[in-house]
Amino acid sequence: MGFKENFLWGGATAANQIEGAYLEDGKGLSVYDIVTVGSHTNPRLITPKIDEEHFYPSRISIDHYHRYKEDIALFAEMGFKAYRFSISWARIFPNGDDEQPNEKGLEFYENVFKELKKYNIEPVVTISHSDIPLAIATKFNGWTNEKVIDLYVKYAKTLFERYEQYVTYWLPFNEINNLFLPLSALGQGAIFPKEECTFQGQADDFETRMKALKNIFLASAKAVKEGRKINSKFHFGTMICHITRYPRTCHPDDVLAVFKNDLLYNNTCADIMLKGEYPFYTLKELEKRGVDINLTEEDKTTLKEGICDYYTFSYYQSISESTLKFDEQTSGNIMGGIKNPYLKETEWDWPIDPVGLRYTLLKVYDRYKVPVMITENGIGCRDVLNEDGTINDPYRVEYIKDHLIEMQKAIDDGVDLIGYMAWGCIDLVSVSTGEMKKRYGFIYVDTDDLGNGSFKRYKKDSFYWYKKVIESNGENL
Ligand code: BG6
């Protein structure tokens, strides 16, 4: 069987990780503009105010804002059929609650769309990739405040109306389920630190996160409803950070614990966005933890009226969990878990598990029965730029190839897989560490963790390999 004829081969990025130009043409600050560079062993800092002593990677990132034409031409050279990127909310509404959108910001993305159209590359647009305007975090306490629902719907409608002719595939929120993790509260402005703290050491409050999440679901549903009124050809997708979980042992307690974590972390958000209602297990869990999200009848109707129609997810790794005590806790992996003796790990301790992708594809297709798209997958590695301008990255080819083989098998199993967007198709700033040296791209960008370098783009070996994969529609791996 293999990949469909019109399979969407491509790559993915996010605004705050590539654009730079952090205050140019009227852009306001985003929450990630106040997060410093860190490393695998040294956590990033969130500094509520800009502190000139620190380096903030999103200020310049890979300078895509000024180089988008060159970058898109390189994507086209690889034969991309689709490109997933996000719009920076703070470029369109710099203060979050501005009366009028910032025309310069709208123009920038319009130019990006025109460039993509030139090469027949289908855009897949993330409306909010975990980087709300800083002003929304400070003035409104981010998504904890229900007023932010209307601000988001206004922002989304502005995009739908302006870019209607260019876009079919929209993603209202990136990795929406990460609000089940304390780490992601910042990106949604839900818990905004008053004082400097480490990225990993942010204050946490489960109840606040769950209330913020409810507002996000309502905002998504309202935006989807409005979007469909504007153009019925629009498709709206979930975007789930799918952390595939395995029980570390066959102890029944382990199996049960993993099953429950899976329901809560992986399934809750997609269940709500695709079925239009809070699942019973999540409502019960909230009740058990004493959290009242005040879900009204009106909220329930809103959720039903704005359901998505395709399932997308990011997949990098699986994790193993146990109720028993194991010594081999994976230290650097922000998702936690215990070392899986059957899997190798990346330098950043992320387990590499291609078979887990097939398992995940089957699991989600069986559950939702809607078209599925992989909107992020890839491996972060240290690459070396040789003197002759080449970059040899066989490890990246191996990682992606092994995942593509498992995708093929999942298609043969009957999964309706419509696209694959390799994460960080061009090197970009890492979210978890703020580093540039954790590279995902087929295209190397000559800059380091402190923003030094020529910013010149170089084609890695994987660039030529991926081009052949696309040319042969996945036959030539
Ligand atoms: C996903 C995010 O969680 O993982 C991306 O959507 C992120 O924005 C990617 O870059 C990889 O994580 P990291 O920490 O290696 O950048």
Side-chain angles (χ1 to χ4, degrees), residues 17 129 174-175 178 316 350 376 423 429-433 438 440:
Q17 294 171 265
H129 192 114
N174 182 62
E175 295 191 335
N178 272 347
Y316 293 91
W350 292 22
E376 284 184 32
W423 175 248
V429 175
S430 154
V431 161
S432 54
T433 67
K438 189 184 186 194
Y440 285 87

mmCIF file of all heavy atoms in Angstrom, residues 17 129 174-175 178 316 350 376 423 429-433 438 440, ligand 1:
data_model
loop_
_atom_site.group_PDB
_atom_site.id
_atom_site.type_symbol
_atom_site.label_atom_id
_atom_site.label_comp_id
_atom_site.label_asym_id
_atom_site.label_seq_id
_atom_site.Cartn_x
_atom_site.Cartn_y
_atom_site.Cartn_z
ATOM 1 N N GLN A 17 10.741 30.147 17.859
ATOM 2 C CA GLN A 17 11.981 29.366 17.751
ATOM 3 C C GLN A 17 12.754 29.658 16.463
ATOM 4 O O GLN A 17 13.871 29.184 16.296
ATOM 5 C CB GLN A 17 11.662 27.875 17.862
ATOM 6 C CG GLN A 17 11.141 27.502 19.242
ATOM 7 C CD GLN A 17 10.606 26.089 19.313
ATOM 8 O OE1 GLN A 17 9.407 25.863 19.173
ATOM 9 N NE2 GLN A 17 11.483 25.127 19.507
ATOM 10 N N HIS A 129 1.293 28.658 19.349
ATOM 11 C CA HIS A 129 2.307 27.631 19.662
ATOM 12 C C HIS A 129 2.960 27.995 21.001
ATOM 13 O O HIS A 129 4.108 28.437 21.058
ATOM 14 C CB HIS A 129 3.352 27.546 18.548
ATOM 15 C CG HIS A 129 4.246 26.342 18.642
ATOM 16 N ND1 HIS A 129 4.249 25.324 17.724
ATOM 17 C CD2 HIS A 129 5.162 25.974 19.563
ATOM 18 C CE1 HIS A 129 5.129 24.398 18.064
ATOM 19 N NE2 HIS A 129 5.702 24.772 19.184
ATOM 20 N N ASN A 174 -0.929 24.391 19.916
ATOM 21 C CA ASN A 174 0.135 23.392 19.928
ATOM 22 C C ASN A 174 0.135 22.617 21.243
ATOM 23 O O ASN A 174 0.004 23.207 22.320
ATOM 24 C CB ASN A 174 1.502 24.086 19.781
ATOM 25 C CG ASN A 174 2.645 23.098 19.749
ATOM 26 O OD1 ASN A 174 2.710 22.255 18.847
ATOM 27 N ND2 ASN A 174 3.535 23.154 20.722
ATOM 28 N N GLU A 175 0.311 21.319 21.157
ATOM 29 C CA GLU A 175 0.514 20.463 22.327
ATOM 30 C C GLU A 175 -0.327 20.897 23.527
ATOM 31 O O GLU A 175 0.174 21.108 24.639
ATOM 32 C CB GLU A 175 2.003 20.419 22.683
ATOM 33 C CG GLU A 175 2.815 19.754 21.580
ATOM 34 C CD GLU A 175 4.250 19.446 21.964
ATOM 35 O OE1 GLU A 175 4.782 20.111 22.858
ATOM 36 O OE2 GLU A 175 4.840 18.547 21.344
ATOM 37 N N ASN A 178 -0.085 19.571 27.128
ATOM 38 C CA ASN A 178 1.049 19.819 28.019
ATOM 39 C C ASN A 178 0.656 20.618 29.249
ATOM 40 O O ASN A 178 1.434 20.729 30.188
ATOM 41 C CB ASN A 178 2.197 20.499 27.275
ATOM 42 C CG ASN A 178 3.095 19.454 26.655
ATOM 43 O OD1 ASN A 178 2.996 18.275 26.985
ATOM 44 N ND2 ASN A 178 3.968 19.865 25.771
ATOM 45 N N TYR A 316 8.093 12.015 19.646
ATOM 46 C CA TYR A 316 9.557 11.960 19.700
ATOM 47 C C TYR A 316 10.034 10.687 20.382
ATOM 48 O O TYR A 316 11.115 10.196 20.116
ATOM 49 C CB TYR A 316 10.117 13.155 20.485
ATOM 50 C CG TYR A 316 9.888 14.473 19.800
ATOM 51 C CD1 TYR A 316 8.746 15.231 20.063
ATOM 52 C CD2 TYR A 316 10.801 14.964 18.879
ATOM 53 C CE1 TYR A 316 8.527 16.436 19.420
ATOM 54 C CE2 TYR A 316 10.599 16.163 18.230
ATOM 55 C CZ TYR A 316 9.451 16.900 18.498
ATOM 56 O OH TYR A 316 9.243 18.086 17.858
ATOM 57 N N TRP A 350 16.358 11.316 25.422
ATOM 58 C CA TRP A 350 15.019 10.997 24.915
ATOM 59 C C TRP A 350 15.068 9.605 24.279
ATOM 60 O O TRP A 350 15.823 9.395 23.313
ATOM 61 C CB TRP A 350 14.561 12.050 23.872
ATOM 62 C CG TRP A 350 14.300 13.410 24.440
ATOM 63 C CD1 TRP A 350 14.793 13.934 25.598
ATOM 64 C CD2 TRP A 350 13.482 14.440 23.870
ATOM 65 N NE1 TRP A 350 14.341 15.222 25.781
ATOM 66 C CE2 TRP A 350 13.538 15.570 24.741
ATOM 67 C CE3 TRP A 350 12.701 14.545 22.705
ATOM 68 C CZ2 TRP A 350 12.850 16.756 24.486
ATOM 69 C CZ3 TRP A 350 12.023 15.741 22.454
ATOM 70 C CH2 TRP A 350 12.088 16.819 23.326
ATOM 71 N N GLU A 376 4.915 16.711 14.290
ATOM 72 C CA GLU A 376 6.294 16.869 14.785
ATOM 73 C C GLU A 376 6.892 15.492 15.009
ATOM 74 O O GLU A 376 6.253 14.623 15.607
ATOM 75 C CB GLU A 376 6.338 17.619 16.127
ATOM 76 C CG GLU A 376 6.125 19.097 16.031
ATOM 77 C CD GLU A 376 6.275 19.814 17.364
ATOM 78 O OE1 GLU A 376 7.086 19.372 18.208
ATOM 79 O OE2 GLU A 376 5.572 20.818 17.558
ATOM 80 N N TRP A 423 10.045 17.704 12.521
ATOM 81 C CA TRP A 423 10.216 18.881 13.381
ATOM 82 C C TRP A 423 11.543 19.576 13.103
ATOM 83 O O TRP A 423 12.565 18.941 12.871
ATOM 84 C CB TRP A 423 10.155 18.519 14.876
ATOM 85 C CG TRP A 423 10.466 19.744 15.701
ATOM 86 C CD1 TRP A 423 11.559 19.950 16.475
ATOM 87 C CD2 TRP A 423 9.677 20.936 15.786
ATOM 88 N NE1 TRP A 423 11.501 21.200 17.038
ATOM 89 C CE2 TRP A 423 10.357 21.833 16.629
ATOM 90 C CE3 TRP A 423 8.455 21.351 15.213
ATOM 91 C CZ2 TRP A 423 9.876 23.118 16.931
ATOM 92 C CZ3 TRP A 423 7.975 22.626 15.507
ATOM 93 C CH2 TRP A 423 8.672 23.483 16.362
ATOM 94 N N VAL A 429 15.823 27.069 17.693
ATOM 95 C CA VAL A 429 16.109 27.116 19.128
ATOM 96 C C VAL A 429 15.311 26.019 19.842
ATOM 97 O O VAL A 429 14.096 25.893 19.625
ATOM 98 C CB VAL A 429 15.714 28.498 19.709
ATOM 99 C CG1 VAL A 429 15.892 28.519 21.219
ATOM 100 C CG2 VAL A 429 16.514 29.612 19.044
ATOM 101 N N SER A 430 15.978 25.267 20.705
ATOM 102 C CA SER A 430 15.286 24.213 21.456
ATOM 103 C C SER A 430 14.422 24.841 22.553
ATOM 104 O O SER A 430 14.837 25.801 23.210
ATOM 105 C CB SER A 430 16.333 23.276 22.078
ATOM 106 O OG SER A 430 15.811 22.649 23.224
ATOM 107 N N VAL A 431 13.238 24.297 22.733
ATOM 108 C CA VAL A 431 12.346 24.833 23.771
ATOM 109 C C VAL A 431 12.841 24.462 25.166
ATOM 110 O O VAL A 431 12.926 25.297 26.058
ATOM 111 C CB VAL A 431 10.913 24.306 23.585
ATOM 112 C CG1 VAL A 431 10.103 24.456 24.855
ATOM 113 C CG2 VAL A 431 10.226 25.049 22.481
ATOM 114 N N SER A 432 13.188 23.192 25.341
ATOM 115 C CA SER A 432 13.507 22.750 26.700
ATOM 116 C C SER A 432 14.814 23.334 27.214
ATOM 117 O O SER A 432 14.954 23.599 28.403
ATOM 118 C CB SER A 432 13.537 21.223 26.772
ATOM 119 O OG SER A 432 14.405 20.707 25.790
ATOM 120 N N THR A 433 15.785 23.561 26.315
ATOM 121 C CA THR A 433 17.089 24.042 26.801
ATOM 122 C C THR A 433 17.469 25.426 26.270
ATOM 123 O O THR A 433 18.400 26.032 26.762
ATOM 124 C CB THR A 433 18.210 23.064 26.403
ATOM 125 O OG1 THR A 433 18.353 23.091 24.984
ATOM 126 C CG2 THR A 433 17.932 21.652 26.874
ATOM 127 N N LYS A 438 21.260 21.752 19.996
ATOM 128 C CA LYS A 438 20.367 20.597 19.878
ATOM 129 C C LYS A 438 19.610 20.775 18.555
ATOM 130 O O LYS A 438 18.551 21.379 18.497
ATOM 131 C CB LYS A 438 19.388 20.569 21.060
ATOM 132 C CG LYS A 438 18.577 19.298 21.136
ATOM 133 C CD LYS A 438 17.558 19.331 22.254
ATOM 134 C CE LYS A 438 16.865 17.994 22.410
ATOM 135 N NZ LYS A 438 15.664 18.061 23.235
ATOM 136 N N TYR A 440 17.738 19.831 14.924
ATOM 137 C CA TYR A 440 16.805 18.860 14.336
ATOM 138 C C TYR A 440 16.815 18.901 12.806
ATOM 139 O O TYR A 440 16.264 18.042 12.159
ATOM 140 C CB TYR A 440 15.371 19.169 14.778
ATOM 141 C CG TYR A 440 15.041 18.798 16.211
ATOM 142 C CD1 TYR A 440 15.284 19.677 17.255
ATOM 143 C CD2 TYR A 440 14.482 17.567 16.524
ATOM 144 C CE1 TYR A 440 14.980 19.344 18.572
ATOM 145 C CE2 TYR A 440 14.165 17.217 17.823
ATOM 146 C CZ TYR A 440 14.420 18.115 18.850
ATOM 147 O OH TYR A 440 14.107 17.775 20.145
HETATM 148 C C1 BG6 B 1 7.638 20.013 21.105
HETATM 149 C C2 BG6 B 1 7.348 21.458 20.837
HETATM 150 O O1 BG6 B 1 7.246 19.758 22.400
HETATM 151 O O2 BG6 B 1 8.948 19.571 21.140
HETATM 152 C C3 BG6 B 1 8.446 22.157 20.031
HETATM 153 O O3 BG6 B 1 6.115 21.646 20.179
HETATM 154 C C4 BG6 B 1 9.796 21.709 20.563
HETATM 155 O O4 BG6 B 1 8.223 23.538 20.091
HETATM 156 C C5 BG6 B 1 9.925 20.213 20.343
HETATM 157 O O5 BG6 B 1 10.876 22.388 19.989
HETATM 158 C C6 BG6 B 1 11.268 19.611 20.694
HETATM 159 O O6 BG6 B 1 11.646 19.933 21.991
HETATM 160 P P1 BG6 B 1 13.036 20.634 22.274
HETATM 161 O O7 BG6 B 1 13.051 20.869 23.712
HETATM 162 O O8 BG6 B 1 14.085 19.681 21.829
HETATM 163 O O9 BG6 B 1 13.052 21.889 21.485
#
